[in-house]
Amino acid sequence: MIIVVTGASSGIGALSARALARAGHTVYAGMRATTGRNAPQVDAAAAYAREHDVDLRSVELDVAGQESVDAAIARIVAEQGRLDVVVHNAGHMVLGPAEAFTPEQLAQLYDTNAIGTQRVNRAALPHLRAQGDGLLVWVSSSSVRGGTPPYLAPYFAAKAAMDSLAVSYAAEVARFGIDTTIIVPGAFTAGTNHFPNSGKPADEAVAKAYEKHYAGLTDQVAAKLAEITPADADVSVVADELARVVDLPKGRRPFRVHVDPADDGGWLVAEVGDRIRSEFLRRIDLGDLLSPAAGGTG
């Protein structure tokens, strides 16, 4: 299959691109600044492809810009004649008291984590719809429905927005023969750049005011997350699970897959929510939208 992975310069994105390539797919690792700060990641992907004899390529793709997204998808289709799988992985995390983030910061975070998926879908879905086949994989977060420690509110809210978009899209593309899976990683404290590269609130005065009652909270949360996560937890299991799901037959893929060694309980809430969704769609005679049409048409 021909696959594009957004946000594939590091972390889950890079690991997923490699896992999918090892499975025999042609994979485009989408990342921004391929000739700038991410040039070393482009070289690393090329080296990995040579060393493992797999088809892993890099493509300039910045989910924050429609022109960049359009150009990336156009290049892939021009080179391969089709596109089969879109992995929505690009994201960014911030740490700090919610009040200390400006509205502009929240808008930027939503843009990266949620609106960016809309840019990619608008570029890719016309091709998938014309084929009557395809798969959207959304990399969500257990925080959408599970345990939510303080000081991560903007990130949690943006991920929840993306997750809700994924749920609605699933029904709206099903009759075109397009499948959907939502991968839900837990809070892996190592193996990704989420925590080391997390953003900070712009309003330092407000952030400082919170220190009166919440001093050291960020370090406490990080330490506790590491403590409740099994020592052998490896974020690569998320990539392996994603690759496994992609290789399942159309219509047999799970709607949602949790990979959370710390077990924050998100799977339980999601199970109820997804069951209610299924039951409601059947009640209003739209049960066919729960799985992709076998022979979708553009």
Side-chain angles (χ1 to χ4, degrees):
M1 287 189 281
I2 311 302
I3 303 174
V4 62
V5 181
T6 68
S9 63
S10 63
I12 291 173
L15 291 169
S16 296
R18 285 159 171 72
L20 289 163
R22 290 197 306 272
H25 304 293
T26 295
V27 182
Y28 285 80
M31 60 187 85
R32 57 185 175 175
T34 52
T35 59
R37 66 181 181 83
N38 278 329
Q41 283 66 43
V42 172
D43 293 340
Y48 187 92
R50 290 191 300 270
E51 293 167 9
H52 295 82
D53 192 24
V54 296
D55 197 349
L56 174 62
R57 315 175 185 202
S58 297
V59 61
E60 177 72 29
L61 195 164
D62 183 355
V63 298
Q66 192 66 57
E67 288 186 7
S68 175
V69 171
D70 290 345
I73 299 301
R75 173 190 156 187
I76 294 168
V77 174
E79 292 180 358
Q80 304 297 332
R82 63 183 294 115
L83 175 62
D84 301 300
V85 182
V86 175
V87 179
H88 290 299
N89 169 77
H92 183 57
M93 177 184 284
V94 295
L95 286 170
E99 183 189 347
F101 290 93
T102 65
E104 291 76 18
Q105 283 187 293
L106 259 68
Q108 185 176 26
L109 200 68
Y110 273 77
D111 192 88
T112 299
N113 289 279
I115 299 173
T117 65
Q118 180 70 351
R119 295 190 181 98
V120 175
N121 276 350
R122 283 180 55 80
L125 280 176
H127 301 287
L128 273 60
R129 288 191 286 105
Q131 295 165 184
D133 190 32
L135 168 64
L136 299 180
V137 179
W138 306 70
V139 180
S140 183
S141 168
S142 63
S143 63
V144 169
R145 292 187 171 94
T148 53
Y151 277 25
L152 285 159
Y155 174 72
F156 290 163
K159 274 297 185 181
M162 190 217 74
D163 194 288
S164 292
L165 199 59
V167 170
S168 292
Y169 255 115
E172 294 182 10
V173 299
R175 287 180 180 169
F176 290 101
I178 301 171
D179 213 347
T180 293
T181 288
I182 303 171
I183 303 293
V184 189
F188 288 87
T189 55
T192 75
N193 287 331
H194 274 331
F195 284 94
N197 292 343
S198 60
K200 306 299 180 185
D203 194 330
E204 296 180 3
V206 170
K208 185 176 180 180
Y210 273 77
E211 285 299 295
K212 179 179 180 181
H213 297 292
Y214 293 89
L217 179 73
T218 300
D219 292 338
Q220 178 186 349
V221 169
K224 284 297 179 181
L225 284 175
E227 183 180 312
I228 65 174
T229 301
D232 60 349
D234 188 334
V235 72
S236 65
V237 299
V238 179
D240 293 340
E241 185 64 9
L242 190 154
R244 182 190 72 82
V245 169
V246 167
D247 278 338
L248 291 175
K250 180 178 178 176
R252 297 272 301 277
R253 298 178 178 109
F255 180 64
R256 191 183 297 271
V257 178
H258 283 259
V259 188
D260 181 16
D263 189 11
D264 69 6
W267 65 270
L268 182 60
V269 183
E271 187 176 88
V272 174
D274 292 339
R275 175 172 58 79
I276 290 173
R277 166 185 175 266
S278 298
E279 292 173 353
F280 182 76
L281 285 176
R282 291 190 177 97
R283 283 176 59 199
I284 59 176
D285 296 328
L286 290 176
D288 70 295
L289 304 185
L290 294 171
S291 58
T297 59

